[in-house]
Amino acid sequence: MGYVGWRPAQEVLVNGLRRLEYRGYDSAGVAVADGKGGLEVHRAAGPLDNLVAVLPDDGVAGTASGSSAALRATTGMGHTRWATHGPPTDRNAHPHTDATGRVAVVHNGIIENFAALRAELEAEGVELTSDTDTEVAAHLLARAFAADPDAGLTAAVRAVVARLQGAFTLVFTHAERPDEIVAARRSSPLVVGVGQGEMFVASDVAAFIDHTRDAVELGQDQIVTLTPEGAVVTDFHGETAKTRPFHVDWDIEAAEKGGHDFFMLKEIEEQPTALADTLRGHLVDGRVVLDEQRLSDQELRDIDKVFVVACGTAYHAGLLAKYAIEHWCRIPVEVEVASEFRYRDPVLDRSTLVVAISQSGETADTLEAVRHAREQKARVLAICNTNGAQIPRESDAVLYTHAGPEVGVAATKTFTAQVIACYLVGLALAQTFGTKYADEVAREYAELESSTDAVARVLEAVVEPTRALARELAQSKAVLFLGRHVGFPVALEGALKLKELAYMHAEGFAAGELKHGPIALIEQGLPVVVVMPSPKGRAILHQKLLSNIREIQARGARTIVVAEEGDETVRPFAEHLIEVPSVSTLIQPLVASVPLQVFAAEVARSRGYDVDKPRNLAKSVTVE
Ligand code: AGP
């Protein structure tokens, strides 16, 4: 984040960084003018509060290590870090400075040629003081500015970005230009906040929404020069660049915890609304419509194969897309983690549709998969929760999930919203291919709409009993999850939630695979969560899963069974039964996932962990 204006910059920055902490929280730092023609930089490993503890407060406080002049500074920058190069220590925290301490920079992304630049600087006698890829940018800027101070800071930044390769969104300040902040964007997002006599720049509007709701989104390879009077945006060659001004109309309250201890718990409860908002407005005159479509109907009709690419939880949503799209459209669908997809030379052409799913819309692996697909002339459809993010911008068609901001690192409401969005995409394709008549599409759509009530009923009925169960099992060594058919992705997702939040060994398996290896893991007292299909649907699946439960029970497992209300056949085999409403096959993953989210959150809480900020993770993984 950067600020230039009339308020005390340090305060603006710290408040802004609090809102950005979800993007990374292993260290933080700020740099402001020191009142003596230099910069005052404070950095601290750990959460933002560690930084706050070392910042000057009123110039008198004992913990303060800085000057009171810094409190009056009205220009500055700040950063919360998620380490890529170098461990999360004080010295690797941003901002980084040049040797004179007159230039400071904060950075998101990875400068891929930093080793060569570092060697070049060292050969010139520059001493680098951190392990980061970022620091080279500070030294390069100092050198470029010194070479021609009259050309200005923006020209110097332009010279620096011309030397960098990789992903870099950078914010610079120079002590000799106390009323100026210059930022450059390649890859990671950057938004400018336009205030009265003050300007902001940040990765997310949340950082400055308390001060202004007028924003400008920076495009790829653009540089913005901020002074209190305004912003000038140019491209990397110095030409005036086009920008996209917008007004932020969502309420910051929406990103507050709403009375819960953790954002994640609030976000779990928001799922019925997230589903309803995602569906809203997508059936128009009996036809399913996407949000953006830069493809003709004929181009869509020509699609003969679908790849779904995504990471983590979004990948699990993608696995469910396969069931729906193949069933409704009779077209082959492959689902793959984005990081594998692009490196294995997939067979793509202009009749391939790549569906990229990403909550943030900036996950580096998914973004690169999209770029690879487009290079091969494939069509790309994005499912994204972040308006205007890079992945939808680079796609041919977009369907937004309207889950609202998700602060908890663990995806919950965005997962179920992604699943429903995948189903909408399936219906849109079915109507295009003519594999479903309009009345069938409308019936399926109504079925999707019914999911909001079903999820609301799960929330009413299962949250408290599931939490009690989670507390009982919180000290388990490991937990396994089993499912079949659409229950399999649910099992994978349940295990991922438990891993990432409770740091517990958790694995999800296709129940049919049990006998091919995983059953060897079963030992006395091991909790196994089983996601049962409906006895009313494909009875054969239900029976097979009952047999699996018997097999693991016979080997001493504790069975926790998620099953449909009224499924009496499973009761004798369930040590703990979690009943969810009876819904159609494709809606079942939505209702069955909710108790598993609650379970993971409560196990983590019982173990004393921060549910919203699990260790080693970040909300948006913008590096590969
Ligand atoms: C989910 O709980 C995770 N935090 C993670 O797997 C996440 O879903 C993944 O990193 C993908 O993120 P995206 O949806 O923003 O692309």
Side-chain angles (χ1 to χ4, degrees):
M1 180 183 188
Y3 175 76
V4 55
W6 46 270
R7 298 174 206 263
Q10 181 181 289
E11 200 182 312
V12 173
L13 293 167
V14 168
N15 291 338
L17 292 181
R18 249 188 227 297
R19 295 259 170 77
L20 296 182
E21 220 186 347
Y22 73 91
R23 303 181 68 88
Y25 38 81
D26 60 37
S27 54
V30 291
V32 295
D34 67 0
K36 293 176 276 187
L39 297 175
E40 187 166 309
V41 180
H42 295 278
R43 304 184 294 182
L48 187 61
D49 282 338
N50 291 8
L51 172 70
V52 172
V54 298
L55 287 177
D57 42 27
D58 55 5
V60 181
T63 54
S65 55
S67 72
S68 55
L71 288 171
R72 292 191 296 274
T74 55
T75 303
M77 61 166 64
H79 189 260
T80 59
R81 177 169 186 250
W82 184 76
T84 59
H85 289 63
T89 55
D90 287 359
R91 75 186 204 115
N92 286 334
H94 301 204
H96 289 282
T97 54
D98 73 317
T100 66
R102 293 162 70 71
V103 167
V105 62
V106 296
H107 165 221
N108 289 348
I110 292 179
I111 298 171
E112 283 169 2
N113 59 334
F114 87 100
L117 294 170
R118 213 182 154 98
E120 178 186 313
L121 289 162
E122 279 170 344
E124 285 175 19
V126 176
E127 195 191 330
L128 287 109
T129 57
S130 77
D131 314 310
T132 66
D133 52 333
T134 304
E135 191 189 340
V136 293
H139 297 287
L140 289 176
L141 185 81
R143 200 165 67 170
F145 186 80
D148 188 2
D150 294 338
L153 190 55
T154 307
V157 169
R158 208 177 297 130
V160 172
V161 295
R163 302 282 330 270
L164 306 182
Q165 288 164 13
F168 48 84
T169 286
L170 300 150
V171 179
F172 292 98
T173 187
H174 196 301
E176 283 180 33
R177 310 292 280 224
D179 293 328
E180 205 173 315
I181 289 279
V182 181
R185 179 192 174 191
R186 173 172 288 170
S187 285
S188 308
L190 201 62
V191 235
V192 174
V194 182
Q196 298 289 323
E198 58 182 348
M199 302 294 289
F200 308 78
V201 66
S203 304
D204 184 333
V205 289
F208 51 72
I209 198 172
D210 286 336
H211 306 297
T212 179
R213 285 168 175 273
D214 291 318
V216 177
E217 189 183 302
L218 239 59
Q220 275 285 54
D221 289 5
Q222 292 186 346
I223 295 179
V224 62
T225 308
L226 302 177
T227 60
E229 290 74 42
V232 177
V233 182
T234 50
D235 64 17
F236 279 8
H237 306 291
E239 303 295 327
T240 306
K242 271 207 188 122
T243 54
R244 196 178 74 92
F246 64 102
H247 187 76
V248 183
D249 50 15
W250 54 266
D251 197 335
I252 196 66
E253 286 301 309
E256 301 291 345
K257 289 182 194 153
H260 293 280
D261 297 350
F262 293 103
F263 281 105
M264 180 185 170
L265 304 176
K266 171 179 167 268
E267 288 155 5
I268 289 173
E269 285 197 356
E270 286 172 344
Q271 290 182 100
T273 317
L275 292 171
D277 290 348
T278 299
L279 284 170
R280 185 167 298 118
H282 286 295
L283 190 70
V284 180
D285 299 331
R287 285 188 70 76
V288 173
V289 290
L290 304 174
D291 288 305
E292 291 169 26
Q293 191 174 320
R294 297 175 272 274
L295 284 174
S296 68
D297 276 355
Q298 188 54 50
E299 284 169 321
L300 267 188
R301 264 195 292 277
D302 289 342
I303 300 296
D304 60 14
K305 184 169 64 178
V306 177
F307 279 100
V308 183
V309 293
C311 302
T313 289
Y315 165 71
H316 298 152
L319 290 174
L320 290 163
K322 178 179 169 80
Y323 293 90
I325 300 174
E326 288 189 338
H327 178 56
W328 287 334
C329 307
R330 310 310 302 149
I331 186 173
V333 179
E334 284 187 44
V335 190
E336 198 163 358
V337 285
S339 52
E340 290 295 322
F341 172 81
R342 64 181 281 234
Y343 291 111
R344 74 166 173 82
D345 201 12
V347 181
L348 305 165
D349 57 34
R350 50 181 79 246
S351 54
T352 311
L353 179 70
V354 172
V355 178
I357 310 174
S358 174
Q359 181 285 129
S360 59
E362 30 172 286
T363 297
D365 286 315
T366 312
L367 178 59
E368 291 306 328
V370 164
R371 289 178 174 160
H372 180 74
R374 283 182 60 109
E375 277 163 20
Q376 312 294 311
K377 306 283 181 260
R379 319 293 184 176
V380 177
L381 186 156
I383 293 177
C384 182
N385 194 48
T386 313
N387 209 292
Q390 200 60 28
I391 290 173
R393 281 158 65 119
E394 296 194 18
S395 300
D396 301 298
V398 186
L399 181 66
Y400 284 107
T401 48
H402 292 282
E406 187 175 70
V407 176
V409 163
T412 51
K413 61 177 179 172
T414 58
F415 168 66
T416 43
Q418 281 166 350
V419 175
I420 215 86
C422 287
Y423 294 167
L424 276 176
V425 166
L427 289 180
L429 292 176
Q431 79 195 0
T432 306
F433 299 149
T435 49
K436 281 223 171 287
Y437 292 116
D439 60 325
E440 293 173 307
V441 169
R443 252 200 319 276
E444 295 291 357
Y445 186 87
E447 194 70 55
L448 302 188
E449 283 185 313
S450 73
S451 67
T452 62
D453 276 354
V455 169
R457 275 188 288 137
V458 182
L459 286 166
E460 271 163 34
V462 310
V463 171
E464 285 316 318
T466 305
R467 285 170 119 179
L469 173 67
R471 287 193 288 272
E472 194 186 319
L473 299 177
Q475 300 313 324
S476 305
K477 209 170 69 189
V479 178
L480 300 187
F481 293 74
L482 299 181
R484 273 180 189 262
H485 194 249
V486 293
F488 172 43
V490 175
L492 293 176
E493 176 60 8
L496 176 62
K497 290 283 95 88
L498 200 58
K499 264 182 239 185
E500 72 176 322
L501 296 173
Y503 321 146
M504 194 187 260
H505 177 235
E507 294 298 334
F509 297 108
E513 279 291 290
L514 201 59
K515 290 197 268 296
H516 302 286
I519 200 162
L521 293 169
I522 308 287
E523 57 186 25
Q524 197 61 35
L526 179 80
V528 181
V529 178
V530 183
V531 184
M532 282 300 287
S534 164
K536 296 195 292 284
R538 296 168 62 190
I540 185 78
L541 284 180
H542 187 267
Q543 281 165 15
K544 290 214 179 300
L545 219 50
L546 274 185
S547 307
N548 295 138
I549 299 179
R550 286 197 190 97
E551 288 156 8
I552 56 171
Q553 240 180 2
R555 288 161 178 83
R558 298 182 67 176
T559 53
I560 299 118
V561 181
V562 182
E564 187 174 297
E565 281 161 359
D567 180 357
E568 293 306 321
T569 48
V570 80
R571 199 174 286 277
F573 305 104
E575 191 172 320
H576 293 275
L577 184 61
I578 300 175
E579 291 184 289
V580 293
S582 168
V583 289
S584 68
T585 303
L586 286 172
I587 302 300
Q588 207 246 358
L590 301 174
V591 294
S593 295
V594 175
L596 306 191
Q597 297 167 344
V598 174
F599 181 75
E602 192 62 22
V603 170
R605 186 150 73 167
S606 305
R607 291 166 76 115
Y609 302 142
D610 184 335
V611 173
D612 286 335
K613 293 182 201 145
R615 70 183 179 200
N616 303 338
L617 294 173
K619 185 71 183 161
S620 301
V621 184
T622 52
V623 289
E624 282 184 68

